[in-house]
Amino acid sequence: QVQLKESGPGLVQPSQTLSLTCTVSGFSLTSYHVHWVRQPPGKGLEWMGVMWSDGDTSYNSALKSRLSISRDTSKSQVFLKMSSLQTEDTATYYCARVLRVPLDYWGQGVMVTVSS
Amino acid sequence: IQLTQSPSLLSASVGDRVTLSCKGSQNINNYLAWYQQKLGEAPKLLIYKTNSLQTGIPSRFSGSGSGTDYTLTISSLHSEDLATYYCYQYNNGWTFGGGTKLELK
């Protein structure tokens, strides 16, 4: 069945780089697009970026200078890297897939705290 | 495109007909989806392309709208519907609304 699972460090120090992995199963990264969405505690959802099925990427303009999304199709993994982290980057980070239907399957999310 | 949801908090009773609003800063061309998020869970897709019901979602949920104005309606509120609801546009870039929290009156 379709599954997405985010993984990564729960705690990151300010100014450091966040690295997250989204491991998928039940579908191919060369057929579906994978988006990243984050949610600060008690706040709303923010779209971050997308890895298109053809390997191209698009980013939220507000995060573009700090954000990089890549993938390893052989491992069914999509990676998110975000640099220069600040406390306001504390959030739950989700990956979700899209084809004809937007964000139909989501991972459980991974909580990341930015703190020294 | 900016999305504004109203109200931000809605109190309703079981059995009520509930209407949530989402307004875009530009024409969304019907590329509007609705998500339900319960505490501690990932969002769940309810409606896409304005009025298409996602598989497995109860028929008491429906969507409507056009242009810049869209609505999610719950025809008869169930207790398990208490959650925060987000609209999401994917016509021009990708944007979420600020959310409407639905609570019991």
Side-chain angles (χ1 to χ4, degrees):
Chain A
Q1 72 276 29
V2 173
Q3 289 189 329
L4 301 92
K5 186 171 184 179
E6 307 87 349
S7 59
L11 180 65
V12 179
Q13 294 199 337
S15 79
Q16 297 302 302
T17 295
L18 172 66
S19 294
L20 298 177
T21 299
C22 174
T23 303
V24 311
S25 59
F27 67 97
S28 171
L29 293 179
T30 58
S31 297
Y32 284 80
H33 322 304
V34 173
H35 292 237
W36 287 92
V37 174
R38 70 177 179 175
Q39 184 172 38
K43 296 190 177 181
L45 301 165
E46 179 183 29
W47 182 82
M48 298 183 71
V50 54
M51 168 59 72
W52 297 105
S53 60
D54 65 1
D56 202 358
T57 53
S58 298
Y59 300 110
N60 182 324
S61 57
L63 302 173
K64 189 171 185 176
S65 63
R66 301 194 289 137
L67 187 60
S68 174
I69 298 174
S70 59
R71 71 180 184 180
D72 183 338
T73 55
S74 67
K75 295 183 178 179
S76 295
Q77 292 179 325
V78 180
F79 309 105
L80 178 146
K81 288 189 189 302
M82 191 160 69
S83 62
S84 305
L85 252 59
Q86 301 302 319
T87 54
E88 53 265 33
D89 295 312
T90 293
T92 296
Y93 289 75
Y94 296 99
C95 57
R97 76 163 197 180
V98 174
L99 186 56
R100 295 176 187 83
V101 175
L103 306 175
D104 61 345
Y105 280 87
W106 294 62
Q108 64 193 18
V110 59
M111 177 66 194
V112 175
T113 300
V114 182
S115 174
S116 55
Chain B
I1 298 180
Q2 308 300 317
L3 296 179
T4 302
Q5 291 188 241
S6 61
S8 55
L9 176 64
L10 180 58
S11 299
S13 301
V14 171
D16 283 354
R17 181 181 180 87
V18 171
T19 300
L20 284 63
S21 174
C22 178
K23 185 175 180 63
S25 59
Q26 300 174 33
N27 188 354
I28 295 170
N29 288 312
N30 293 116
Y31 289 99
L32 193 285
W34 290 93
Y35 293 85
Q36 176 193 68
Q37 187 179 33
K38 297 181 179 180
L39 199 61
E41 298 182 4
K44 176 197 279 189
L45 175 65
L46 301 176
I47 301 279
Y48 61 97
K49 199 73 189 305
T50 297
N51 56 16
S52 295
L53 193 66
Q54 173 67 342
T55 303
I57 301 302
S59 59
R60 64 181 180 273
F61 291 92
S62 64
S64 63
S66 63
T68 60
D69 296 314
Y70 297 83
T71 298
L72 174 70
T73 300
I74 308 174
S75 60
S76 178
L77 189 67
H78 288 204
S79 57
E80 61 262 34
D81 301 335
L82 300 178
T84 300
Y85 292 82
Y86 294 94
C87 57
Y88 171 73
Q89 71 82 22
Y90 49 109
N91 175 60
N92 183 353
W94 303 268
T95 320
F96 288 95
T100 292
K101 184 176 181 180
L102 187 50
E103 65 172 23
L104 264 183
K105 187 181 291 183

